[in-house]
Amino acid sequence: MKAIRRFTVRTVLPEALSALDELAGNLRWSWHEPTRELFSYIDPELWKESRHDPVALLGMVPPERVQELAGDGEFIARANALRDDLHTYISQPRWYQSQTDAPSSIAYFSPEFGIAAALPQYSGGLGILAGDHLKSASDLGVPLLAVGLFYRSGYFKQAISPDGWQQETYPVLDPDGLPLSLLRGADGAPAQVALALPGSRTLFARVWQAYVGRVKLLMLDTDIPENEDSLRSVTDRLYGGGGEHRLLQELLLGIGGVRAIKLYSELTGTEFPQVFHTNEGHAGFLGLERISDLVAAGLTFGEALEVVRAGTVFTTHTPVPAGIDRFDRSLVEAYFSTDLLPSVGVHDVLSLGTEDYPGGNGAVFNMAVMGLRLAQHANGVSKLHGHVSRSMFSGLWPGFDEADVPITSVTNGVHAPTWTDPRLMHLAEERLGTSDTTVADWRSTAVSDEELWRVKTEMREQLVVDARERIRAAWQLQNPGSVIPTWIEDALDPNVLTIGFARRVPTYKRLTLMLHDEERLRSILTSRKRPVQLIIAGKSHPADDEGKRLIQRLVTFAQDPEIRRRLVFLPNYDIAMAQLLYPGCDVWLNNPLRPLEACGTSGMKASLNGALNLSILDGWWNEYYDGENGWAIPSSDAAGDAAERDALEAGALYDLIEHQIAPRYYDRGKDGVPTRWVKSMRHTLATLSPELSADRMVKEYVAKLYTPAGKAAAVIAEDDYAAGRELAKWKQEVRKDWGGVQVLHVESGGLTSVPRVGDELHVRARVQLGGLAPEDVSVQVIYGKSIEGDALEDTTTVELVPLVEDTDRPTTGAITLDGSTTFAGTVTLTRPGSFGYNVRVVPKSPYLASPAELGLVTMAH
């Protein structure tokens, strides 16, 4: 029998145990090992059964055990000490408080957050990254206020049918049973935001709060009585439903999210954020809500746009156009032709998302394009992805070289305390004097090879035990009432080289590349001398049948009695599984089609646990592979077709496993330790742990994006947005007059007959400025290596200054003759070899973050 309604009854704890409620209510427990150990002590079996969820655990503990703990003075003291430590953690100054000029408050919007298995509000890497971003922001003291949606059914739970087909179920979550609380008004009633919709309908949402250490996360929920039935389901599932359903979710996240922040600020007296960070295009509508407020306060749309842009950061995670959310223009038009944003005209909205560039589709509204147009600061998530993004979005900045497109990069990182196994942290603390594995000296002889290998072996054993339990549970789900086959008890071997592969299953990640030559893979797995085992997991989007077919093919292959002990597919990949999978693997495999992996953080988490990577040089691996921390699978980009490329790259994969990886792993000394392998583990831990840390990532965001955005926002808001008004007017005039800007003549001199390093090249450019003044433009010499086809590489820019024609001296103004202005400057030749240069004119203003910002450039011809 099924219940028609479910709710959670929380345990009432004795006053002596009040610290437990507070500790369970702050998600810091998800990465703070002493707090997790405290909850495990209450009842180890129930802690495991609750899937390491303190709120669930406290609801499961028998009353007699509660009374026993209430009388245990040592336990109470321990709990109170941890509560005091949490208070100190939340209140004491940390790294960020030592930063001068950094913004006082930052809003971080994301469609998903992967913080803990107990709060399943994520589908994959984007959500896990967002969760890690919040955790490191908390650890560093960054004043972040996060905003997302609360999905009543999360993403989905995955099961595999007997024929290998993915099956989805959507268990309904009860927020009262989670570490959440409602944001309430002064009267105690739940606070709400409202969005006007077409057809005189209104969408209401409550606001749940989660404490993530020092960071507050606001989550909007539409499953409330105030909504009609069709609207209660807006936040039913993550990435569920069709185009209009998705649009409603993104309107709620962006517009409703800013309204939730305004409510929160009013109710709590906290400062409204200076900087807004849009994590992927899903939250892009947040900029429109902020524009609407400014227009209502007296600014024009153009002025408000400049104010909003100055303080907005946009992060793109998408390396392929097909991965970007696009909506029919007519659908967006219908939603904004209402009172949703009464201060903003629908045509202004549509212009932000229009693909009005060569190759664009004028019938769609592009969320990433809007995100870039609403943000003065943008980035990709690895160096290679930054390059890909500049190429993919270059149409927004016509005439500029790819290198000038204003999209930088901040390579993702992962939160070390969340993803590093406690065994490794304890080893670092005992032998190296710190539990922070990112700063521990892993090359020190204070940790012997034997000790490090013992810990790795224990982590592998832990994974094998967990994998067998999951295989057993999956079998029982598929075959209820059947006897569990004996082979499951022998599945996997804790002493065999273990390779992990786990991620979402879109086709470009090539889950089944390893099956390209099934017989060769079979021989690798079943080798008597050097056996290998593969542990694989991953979910395909419910609407992606092609991805499901890949899973089915892999599962079918794994059912072969000859290899089922050496290759397993674990269903329902989630945080809880991952926290055992990454530490337990010796090698982490990643074989996407290059360059379609924006970053890929699973291999990072494995590296934090001493695993070596085996990967295509894509995403983060492209910039961190050094020959000692793993192996690079050669990319066959020049292959004739996809089949040939797969064949070549699969062959390289097999070769590496057979001839390099397995021999190194099984090369053991008399003590049974693979010394050469452990050397690579030490190197990986010592060099990658600090680099792959989310702390490094968040510090980069602060330095490269948040601080510049905060400064720009402060300047442009001064004196009732005087600079914003000035910038909007100036941009309008520049765009109007730019057609009259021309480079009429370029001349150079000063070089000897044979140019040498150290010589000076004097450049003059006569420029027609039309209706613009010299201070409105930057006339630049772009010089560098001159290669085939006259293209320039490794370029450097020198700005020329306007001259007074009759004295040939620099001046703050310029005397124009015949309507032109002469600009001049000097280039010093600093390196030998081919040399080339050109002159260009771009708009210039102290309020621009990039010379390419307006997309206007005039080149000399």
Side-chain angles (χ1 to χ4, degrees):
M1 181 181 296
K2 292 186 177 180
I4 62 170
R5 185 170 176 234
R6 297 170 60 241
F7 57 88
T8 301
V9 180
R10 293 207 180 192
T11 300
V12 178
L13 294 172
E15 179 61 29
L17 299 178
S18 61
L20 295 180
D21 265 338
E22 194 167 342
L23 291 169
N26 191 309
L27 284 157
R28 186 200 185 204
W29 57 255
S30 68
W31 74 89
H32 190 245
E33 190 57 26
T35 303
R36 293 169 65 84
E37 290 172 353
L38 176 79
F39 284 113
S40 177
Y41 174 83
I42 292 174
D43 190 316
E45 288 303 314
L46 288 180
W47 177 241
K48 183 177 179 181
E49 187 179 331
S50 72
R51 301 182 76 236
H52 300 173
D53 175 357
V55 175
L57 170 74
L58 294 177
M60 298 163 69
V61 179
E64 54 271 20
R65 177 56 175 161
V66 171
Q67 292 305 315
E68 181 183 348
L69 292 170
D72 185 340
E74 186 176 338
F75 178 82
I76 293 171
R78 184 179 169 192
N80 289 342
L82 285 170
R83 178 180 58 187
D84 293 344
D85 177 74
L86 176 62
H87 291 171
T88 301
Y89 169 85
I90 290 171
S91 61
Q92 71 180 4
R94 303 185 77 82
W95 170 82
Y96 192 84
Q97 283 62 52
S98 68
Q99 305 303 298
T100 56
D101 301 332
S104 56
S105 181
I106 302 152
Y108 180 89
F109 281 61
S110 179
E112 50 177 304
F113 288 92
I115 299 167
L119 192 62
Q121 301 290 302
Y122 59 94
S123 71
L126 179 67
I128 300 298
L129 172 78
D132 283 6
H133 196 111
L134 301 195
K135 293 172 185 177
S136 276
S138 175
D139 289 344
L140 294 169
V142 180
L144 217 62
L145 177 61
V147 180
L149 302 181
F150 178 73
Y151 305 96
R152 287 287 174 142
S153 295
Y155 191 42
F156 66 87
K157 288 189 70 174
Q158 178 197 52
I160 303 298
S161 70
D163 66 353
W165 194 252
Q166 172 180 291
Q167 297 175 318
E168 302 94 20
T169 56
Y170 294 87
V172 176
L173 302 172
D174 176 16
D176 288 322
L178 299 171
L180 303 174
S181 62
L182 275 174
L183 178 64
R184 296 184 180 275
D187 59 358
Q192 291 184 352
V193 299
L195 276 69
L197 303 181
S200 300
R201 297 184 303 159
T202 302
L203 176 65
F204 297 96
R206 287 181 181 174
V207 184
W208 293 98
Q209 306 173 92
Y211 292 89
V212 187
R214 299 166 67 110
V215 170
K216 178 68 70 67
L217 169 61
L218 307 179
M219 307 171 76
L220 282 69
D221 176 13
T222 63
D223 188 13
I224 57 177
E226 289 81 354
N227 282 324
E228 59 185 69
D229 288 346
S230 63
L231 294 178
R232 291 187 69 151
S233 62
V234 166
T235 55
D236 57 352
R237 301 173 182 178
L238 177 58
Y239 304 139
E244 187 166 8
H245 187 86
R246 178 75 69 88
L247 178 61
L248 277 166
Q249 289 187 341
E250 298 189 4
L251 291 169
L252 179 64
L253 175 59
I255 297 172
V258 175
R259 293 177 183 178
I261 288 180
K262 288 184 282 191
L263 257 181
Y264 176 79
S265 298
E266 291 168 7
L267 293 171
T268 62
T270 54
E271 179 185 1
F272 191 73
Q274 286 182 290
V275 171
F276 281 74
H277 184 175
T278 308
N279 191 37
E280 208 24 287
H282 310 288
F285 289 120
L286 70 88
L288 290 174
E289 170 69 7
R290 296 171 61 212
I291 287 173
S292 180
D293 288 342
L294 291 166
V295 172
L299 273 64
T300 67
F301 179 86
E303 293 166 348
L305 174 61
E306 298 308 327
V307 174
V308 167
R309 276 176 47 78
T312 301
V313 174
F314 175 71
T315 299
T316 175
H317 296 260
T318 309
V320 287
I324 296 170
D325 274 349
R326 289 176 169 87
F327 298 105
D328 288 341
R329 273 177 61 96
S330 58
L331 181 63
V332 175
E333 184 174 15
Y335 272 86
F336 283 93
S337 299
T338 63
D339 291 330
L340 176 60
L341 293 179
S343 302
V344 177
V346 65
H347 296 297
D348 288 327
V349 173
L350 293 174
S351 69
L352 290 171
T354 299
E355 296 183 0
D356 52 356
Y357 45 80
N361 181 352
V364 301
F365 185 91
N366 186 310
M367 294 297 289
V369 167
M370 178 179 68
L372 289 165
R373 286 173 171 159
L374 282 171
Q376 196 175 47
H377 310 270
N379 69 287
V381 291
S382 70
K383 288 181 179 178
L384 178 59
H385 181 237
H387 167 75
V388 169
S389 297
R390 287 188 288 275
S391 174
M392 188 165 77
F393 294 111
S394 61
L396 293 172
W397 295 274
F400 284 91
D401 290 342
E402 179 189 299
D404 293 319
V405 170
I407 301 175
T408 185
S409 65
V410 175
T411 301
N412 286 342
V414 296
H415 186 246
T418 295
W419 300 108
T420 306
D421 191 275
R423 289 173 174 80
L424 199 62
M425 289 193 282
H426 290 321
L427 177 65
E429 190 168 24
E430 292 170 6
R431 292 287 186 260
L432 303 175
T434 176
S435 61
D436 185 350
T437 57
T438 66
V439 300
D441 181 8
W442 289 105
R443 292 193 175 99
S444 170
T445 55
V447 174
S448 68
D449 286 355
E450 291 83 359
E451 287 174 310
L452 186 55
W453 187 246
R454 173 181 53 78
V455 167
K456 188 65 183 180
T457 300
E458 289 173 359
M459 294 191 294
R460 196 183 313 105
E461 289 170 346
Q462 172 186 252
L463 169 59
V464 167
V465 169
D466 182 70
R468 287 173 181 169
E469 288 181 1
R470 292 177 184 275
I471 298 168
R472 190 181 304 116
W475 174 273
Q476 290 175 316
L477 189 63
Q478 288 179 356
N479 307 277
S482 299
V483 176
I484 297 174
T486 56
W487 70 264
I488 292 178
E489 302 309 315
D490 298 325
L492 306 175
D493 184 333
N495 296 307
V496 165
L497 168 60
T498 303
I499 300 177
F501 181 103
R503 50 189 39 85
R504 291 184 304 110
V505 190
T507 53
Y508 78 85
K509 290 182 184 281
R510 295 192 296 183
L511 171 71
T512 56
L513 183 68
M514 63 185 75
L515 300 183
H516 191 273
D517 184 338
E518 293 184 3
E519 289 310 308
R520 189 166 181 191
L521 176 61
R522 186 188 305 272
S523 70
I524 291 172
L525 296 173
T526 60
S527 168
R528 292 181 178 274
K529 186 177 180 182
R530 297 178 182 134
V532 175
Q533 58 193 15
L534 274 160
I535 302 180
I536 303 163
K539 293 179 176 179
S540 177
H541 188 280
D544 183 7
D545 282 352
E546 186 56 37
K548 293 180 184 180
R549 275 190 281 273
L550 297 179
I551 292 174
Q552 184 178 45
R553 183 184 169 200
L554 186 77
V555 169
T556 301
F557 179 76
Q559 290 170 344
D560 186 328
E562 186 182 4
I563 62 167
R564 63 190 177 193
R565 291 176 174 83
R566 289 283 181 266
L567 189 154
V568 299
F569 181 88
L570 304 181
N572 204 39
Y573 180 42
D574 65 1
I575 288 176
M577 180 194 297
Q579 287 177 316
L580 300 181
L581 182 55
Y582 300 133
C585 289
D586 300 293
V587 174
W588 195 259
L589 174 62
N590 188 33
N591 47 232
L593 283 168
R594 189 178 190 273
L596 303 185
E597 185 79 89
C599 182
T601 57
S602 58
M604 293 181 169
K605 298 168 189 126
S607 291
L608 292 184
N609 291 280
L612 309 184
N613 274 266
L614 169 61
S615 177
I616 294 285
L617 285 171
D618 201 5
W620 75 275
W621 190 236
N622 185 67
E623 64 195 81
Y624 282 112
Y625 166 67
D626 66 7
E628 181 63 30
N629 51 21
W631 296 267
I633 303 170
S635 297
S636 300
D637 301 17
D641 56 28
E644 182 183 359
R645 181 174 184 174
D646 285 353
L648 291 170
E649 294 181 4
L653 168 63
Y654 301 139
D655 285 343
L656 286 168
I657 295 173
E658 283 186 309
H659 303 307
Q660 295 189 39
I661 298 172
R664 184 183 300 184
Y665 183 86
Y666 287 108
D667 181 14
R668 307 292 174 93
K670 292 181 180 180
D671 57 3
V673 176
T675 305
R676 179 66 184 85
W677 188 277
V678 173
K679 178 184 176 184
S680 293
M681 287 178 58
R682 287 184 184 273
H683 175 81
T684 293
L685 289 168
T687 61
L688 290 184
S689 293
E691 286 295 311
L692 303 183
S693 165
D695 284 4
R696 184 271 309 153
M697 173 189 74
V698 171
K699 287 179 179 179
E700 276 195 47
Y701 271 106
V702 169
K704 294 175 68 172
L705 295 161
Y706 294 164
T707 298
K711 289 180 178 178
V715 167
I716 214 152
E718 287 177 356
D719 299 326
D720 190 29
Y721 307 107
R725 300 175 195 270
E726 178 187 333
L727 179 59
K729 181 180 179 182
W730 177 83
K731 281 189 174 182
Q732 186 177 24
E733 292 173 350
V734 169
R735 289 189 175 106
K736 175 175 63 71
D737 292 339
W738 195 258
V741 175
Q742 298 180 59
V743 180
L744 300 177
H745 179 69
V746 176
E747 61 183 42
S748 61
L751 296 181
T752 59
S753 57
V754 180
R756 299 177 183 276
V757 171
D759 285 355
E760 292 185 342
L761 174 70
H762 303 296
V763 180
R764 284 190 178 202
R766 194 155 55 90
V767 181
Q768 174 65 257
L769 295 177
L772 301 179
E775 57 267 26
D776 291 329
V777 301
S778 175
V779 179
Q780 303 170 340
V781 177
I782 312 294
Y783 66 93
K785 294 179 182 177
S786 179
I787 57 175
E788 186 177 351
D790 296 329
L792 294 176
E793 279 189 354
D794 299 332
T795 57
T796 302
T797 300
V798 169
E799 184 168 7
L800 306 182
V801 297
L803 294 179
V804 174
E805 292 288 342
D806 58 353
T807 63
D808 217 29
R809 290 178 300 172
T811 177
T812 54
I815 297 175
T816 60
L817 302 175
D818 301 325
S820 67
T821 303
T822 299
F823 295 77
T826 300
V827 172
T828 302
L829 307 185
T830 58
R831 60 191 178 195
S834 61
F835 179 90
Y837 75 92
N838 202 344
V839 171
R840 73 179 182 187
V841 186
V842 294
K844 180 181 180 180
S845 165
Y847 306 126
L848 298 183
S850 160
E853 187 168 315
L854 276 73
L856 299 175
V857 61
T858 297
M859 304 294 300
H861 296 288

